[in-house]
Amino acid sequence: GAVVSQHPSRVICKSGTSVKIECRSLDFQATTMFWYRQFPKQSLMLMATSNEGSKATYEQGVEKDKFLINHASLTLSTLTVTSAHPEDSSFYICSAFPGQGDYGYTFGSGTRLTVV
Amino acid sequence: GDSVTQMEGPVTLSEEAFLTINCTYTATGYPSLFWYVQYPGEGLQLLLKATKADDKGSNKGFEATYRKETTSFHLEKGSVQVSDSAVYFCALDFQGGKLIFGQGTELSVKP
């Protein structure tokens, strides 16, 4: 089946540093991937849509300079949280759509980011 | 705009009890509907889906029927197990790529 691998699963960083999260589609090509953010005991909020070979599309209220997205290949999208602050601490999840024949988005296992 | 509303949790049940988690949606058109499950510390897993009115999605004993007349997609299971303890999310996809999630319902099943 379609598998999305997300790495790292947990990361702790100091305020002011940058953190990169990777999202890989292991057995399918994904021209589009999605990045979500989840606050404790809350729902997932779409942050941005990552498009291979072009700029990401950000949702309203999401700082594109803070959350840099790069989708350089058909199997890899990265989210970089720049100059991280404690309020950026959250659970970040990526997803991808395998394509025709399986109408269901496959999610990565998520990344727990803690900024100290 | 499009939205999904779920019943609030947490829901606490005894093993083998009947489960219903209500989900209603608002959408201008005919979205596809999904239930996802999230186990502690993990990402989301697709539980079941329905792509058109009157479709019934089912998986692992869970069922949900796409009701256009009531704009609902309630999740049911006849006999829950401790291993079903998780957070359940109802979602719709109308724009061909952007999933819109409900707020999630935490289920806790006690032995």
Side-chain angles (χ1 to χ4, degrees):
Chain A
V3 178
V4 171
S5 174
Q6 191 172 338
H7 178 81
S9 57
R10 292 179 180 273
V11 59
I12 300 173
C13 71
K14 293 183 177 180
S15 289
T17 62
S18 295
V19 174
K20 179 184 286 187
I21 303 170
E22 293 187 348
C23 181
R24 294 180 184 273
S25 56
L26 297 187
D27 48 5
F28 65 97
Q29 294 183 332
T31 55
T32 303
M33 293 185 177
F34 305 91
W35 287 97
Y36 293 83
R37 181 174 181 177
Q38 185 181 29
F39 292 98
K41 297 190 180 296
Q42 294 188 28
S43 189
L44 286 79
M45 300 301 296
L46 179 65
M47 298 174 65
T49 303
S50 171
N51 304 298
E52 188 269 334
S54 64
K55 291 183 179 180
T57 304
Y58 290 83
E59 295 299 303
Q60 190 173 10
V62 177
E63 299 177 61
K64 58 183 67 177
D65 294 332
K66 157 71 86 173
F67 300 101
L68 299 180
I69 292 173
N70 184 288
H71 195 152
S73 78
L74 287 170
T75 59
L76 174 64
S77 175
T78 61
L79 169 68
T80 301
V81 183
T82 63
S83 187
H85 289 94
E87 57 265 30
D88 298 325
S89 299
S90 193
F91 194 57
Y92 294 88
I93 308 177
C94 68
S95 77
F97 179 48
Q100 294 182 356
D102 184 284
Y103 203 85
Y105 300 88
T106 301
F107 284 80
S109 55
T111 298
R112 172 73 60 194
L113 170 63
T114 303
V115 184
V116 297
Chain B
D2 301 333
S3 65
V4 177
T5 301
Q6 288 179 235
M7 65 183 288
E8 291 190 14
V11 174
T12 302
L13 296 174
S14 298
E15 208 165 20
E16 299 184 0
F18 184 85
L19 168 71
T20 299
I21 300 178
N22 290 338
C23 170
T24 57
Y25 68 91
T26 301
T28 52
Y30 305 102
S32 294
L33 301 174
F34 305 84
W35 277 100
Y36 282 87
V37 58
Q38 184 179 33
Y39 297 101
E42 298 184 13
L44 272 68
Q45 300 175 26
L46 177 64
L47 182 60
L48 53 84
K49 62 181 185 280
T51 58
K52 62 182 187 298
D54 298 326
D55 268 2
K56 176 185 283 188
S58 60
N59 185 27
K60 300 180 181 180
F62 291 90
E63 293 183 340
T65 301
Y66 189 140
R67 301 286 189 198
K68 189 177 71 171
E69 62 276 11
T70 55
T71 62
S72 64
F73 193 54
H74 305 322
L75 182 68
E76 297 182 335
K77 186 174 185 182
S79 176
V80 294
Q81 306 300 314
V82 173
S83 58
D84 294 327
S85 298
V87 180
Y88 292 81
F89 291 93
C90 185
L92 68 82
D93 169 27
F94 183 65
Q95 298 180 12
K98 295 182 181 181
L99 281 170
I100 297 173
F101 287 90
Q103 67 269 41
T105 302
E106 183 179 359
L107 171 65
S108 177
V109 181
K110 306 297 184 184

